[in-house]
């Protein structure tokens, strides 16, 4: 299969291409995490990916929220997110209980299971954006950055309903919603893209040689400053600096994204399935103990190749056809039934 075969141009192709490339980065990052303390190369690649992939994933999610934020479509999206969260939170907990026999396992909808933090935060981002729609975009952006900084000072559990990540990544959602189209219009296929791509590689190299000191805790955005070991009054400056690193690295990575419609674009339309299902595969691979046999950094390319293969496999139309009733249930039937019940009761 030639995933680079170009068919036609489309205004949203860039964003679908980006979305698939980012879901590949998600899989690669998750697959590398078990060995980042053993191999410097794995840690460098892991940190580089985390400087841009979640900010951009939130950014592209904000972009696609433009036409489904309000009205009936907005309500349906919120319903789908809530259903997906409850369902997969239960399924992942069930897997931990039956397959992995995780000790002291208990189901809680207030502590998102690993990757499901994104669903909880996505739900909140949409609500927060709807509340501030009357604001000017620049005020919305400034306000979101201030909230992202202030949230780290609060004496709460950062993991609780993805509290910290909701506010830390909120600015990227706002940028995607308000400025996604404008940013896309400035991305041209010229020499400046090649320069930006080289600078993106330069960031990777700088991280590898220690030129950019980074901590996974700060990049994940899931903990308060106190939980990160920084109770100082100026801890918010670190968050502001991290925003600078993430904004810069994310902007440079955009140079790698193709703009034309291709097979990648079609797979980019089905990243929801890759996102929600890949956790089962990653958890099973880790549980199998295969990482215990990796005694050399030469396994890193193998891990990356397998992660890409998983992404392509889970983005296949057959997977969508099979799991669509589970992941994207038809809520119109429920709505119709509810309306009929209301009429009868009246």
């Amino acid at each position: 299969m030639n995933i680079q075969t170009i068919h036609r141009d489309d205004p949203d192709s860039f964003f679908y291409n980006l979305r698939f490339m980012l879901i590949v980065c998600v899989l690669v990052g998750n697959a590398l995490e078990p060995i980042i303390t053993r191999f410097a190369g794995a840690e460098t690649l892991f940190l580089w990916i985390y400087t841009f992939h979640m900010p951009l994933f939130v950014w592209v999610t904000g972009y696609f929220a433009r036409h489904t934020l309000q009205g009936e479509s907005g309500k349906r999206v919120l319903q789908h997110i809530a259903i997906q969260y409850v369902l997969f939170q239960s399924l992942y907990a069930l897997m931990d209980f039956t397959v992995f026999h995780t000790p002291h396992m208990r189901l809680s909808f207030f502590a998102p299971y690993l990757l499901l933090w994104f669903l909880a935060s996505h739900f909140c981002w949409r609500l927060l954006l709807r509340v501030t729609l009357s604001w000017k975009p620049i005020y919305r952006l400034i306000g979101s950055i201030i909230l992202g900084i202030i949230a780290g000072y609060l004496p709460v559990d950062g993991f609780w309903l993805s509290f910290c990540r909701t506010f830390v990544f909120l600015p990227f959602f706002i940028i995607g919603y308000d400025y996604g189209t404008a940013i896309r219009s400035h991305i041209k296929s010229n020499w400046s893209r090649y320069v930006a791509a080289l600078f993106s590689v330069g960031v990777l190299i700088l991280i590898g040689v220690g030129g950019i000191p980074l901590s996974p805790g700060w990049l994940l955005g899931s903990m308060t400053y106190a939980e990160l070991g920084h109770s100082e009054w100026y801890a918010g400056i670190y968050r502001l600096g991290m925003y600078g690193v993430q904004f810069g690295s994310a902007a440079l990575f955009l140079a790698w994204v193709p703009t034309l419609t291709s097979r990648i674009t079609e797979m980019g339309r089905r990243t929801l399935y890759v996102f929600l299902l890949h956790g089962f595969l990653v958890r099973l691979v880790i549980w199998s103990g295969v990482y215990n046999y990796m005694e050399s950094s030469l396994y890193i390319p193998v891990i990356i190749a397998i992660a890409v293969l998983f992404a392509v496999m889970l983005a296949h139309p057959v997977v969508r056809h099979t799991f669509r009733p589970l992941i994207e249930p038809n809520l119109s039937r429920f709505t119709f039934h509810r309306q009929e019940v209301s009429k009868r009761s009246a």
Side-chain angles (χ1 to χ4, degrees):
M1 178 178 65
N2 180 10
I3 62 175
Q4 294 290 343
T5 302
I6 295 176
H7 301 292
R8 64 187 186 283
D9 193 10
D10 183 271
D12 287 341
S13 294
F14 173 84
F15 293 95
Y16 285 119
N17 294 340
L18 171 61
R19 203 158 71 173
F20 182 73
M21 293 174 69
L22 291 174
I23 200 64
V24 168
C25 288
V26 170
L27 265 74
V28 171
N30 290 342
L32 289 175
E33 190 169 4
I35 61 171
I36 60 174
T37 57
R38 292 159 54 190
F39 306 118
E43 182 182 26
T44 297
L45 188 56
F46 177 86
L47 291 174
W48 178 67
I49 288 173
Y50 271 83
T51 61
F52 64 80
H53 89 298
M54 287 318 306
L56 283 178
F57 220 124
V58 178
W59 179 69
V60 76
T61 302
Y63 171 82
F64 282 114
R66 294 173 307 139
H67 304 302
T68 59
L69 187 69
Q70 302 183 83
E72 287 301 317
S73 61
K75 292 179 182 177
R76 282 195 299 272
V77 172
L78 288 175
Q79 288 174 338
H80 273 120
I81 295 172
I83 291 172
Q84 290 160 0
Y85 178 78
V86 171
L87 178 61
F88 279 87
Q89 183 81 349
S90 303
L91 288 176
Y92 277 109
L94 181 63
M95 181 181 66
D96 266 4
F97 181 75
T98 59
V99 178
F100 305 128
H101 304 290
T102 303
H104 311 296
M105 177 64 207
R106 64 187 184 94
L107 175 62
S108 172
F109 294 106
F110 297 100
Y113 188 96
L114 299 177
L115 55 91
L116 296 183
W117 72 266
F118 193 88
L119 294 179
S121 292
H122 186 192
F123 190 92
C124 295
W125 292 327
R126 284 177 167 268
L127 293 180
L128 289 168
L129 188 53
R130 289 171 65 154
V131 170
T132 60
L133 277 179
S134 61
W135 299 11
K136 290 184 178 181
I138 187 62
Y139 295 155
R140 212 165 22 236
L141 176 59
I142 294 173
S144 67
I145 293 174
I146 293 174
L147 283 175
I149 294 173
I150 292 176
Y153 288 106
L154 300 181
V156 297
D157 182 347
F159 287 93
W160 185 80
L161 277 180
S162 188
F163 175 84
C164 275
R165 279 169 162 161
T166 295
F167 290 103
V168 167
F169 290 110
L170 177 61
F172 299 100
F173 190 81
I174 299 296
I175 293 173
Y177 183 87
D178 288 323
Y179 302 103
T181 303
I183 293 173
R184 166 67 184 88
S185 66
H186 285 86
I187 299 175
K188 308 294 184 181
S189 297
N190 54 29
W191 64 269
S192 61
R193 291 192 69 186
Y194 298 106
V195 173
L198 289 175
F199 273 106
S200 182
V201 175
V203 173
L204 173 63
I205 295 172
L206 278 175
I207 294 173
V209 299
I212 306 179
L214 295 173
S215 167
W218 283 93
L219 291 173
L220 293 172
S222 57
M223 293 183 283
T224 62
Y225 303 141
E227 289 172 324
L228 288 167
H230 292 273
S231 301
E232 307 89 352
W233 66 267
Y234 53 83
I237 298 176
Y238 293 146
R239 173 60 62 201
L240 191 60
M242 192 58 62
Y243 275 146
V245 172
Q246 291 174 314
F247 279 127
S249 184
L252 293 175
F253 183 79
L254 293 179
W256 292 98
V257 184
T259 59
L260 297 179
T261 305
S262 68
R263 299 283 181 83
I264 292 179
T265 312
E266 294 306 310
M267 290 188 288
R269 298 178 190 275
R270 298 185 288 270
T271 53
L272 176 62
Y273 293 80
V274 185
F275 176 75
L276 289 176
L277 297 174
H278 85 274
F280 294 104
L281 294 177
V282 173
R283 290 283 281 130
L284 285 170
V285 170
I286 295 174
W287 174 71
S288 70
V290 67
Y291 282 97
N292 296 330
Y293 299 97
M294 297 182 183
E295 300 177 352
S296 167
S297 59
L298 295 176
Y299 283 100
I300 295 176
V302 176
I303 293 174
I304 295 173
I306 293 175
V308 174
L309 180 62
F310 278 172
V312 173
M313 180 181 68
L314 292 175
H316 196 279
V318 172
V319 175
R320 183 179 189 182
H321 177 75
T322 303
F323 291 97
R324 188 166 191 171
L326 184 70
I327 294 177
E328 296 181 279
N330 186 356
L331 298 179
S332 60
R333 295 179 181 179
F334 170 76
T335 304
F336 175 77
H337 176 71
R338 184 176 60 188
Q339 290 172 347
E340 288 296 314
V341 171
S342 298
K343 290 179 181 177
R344 291 173 184 173
S345 61

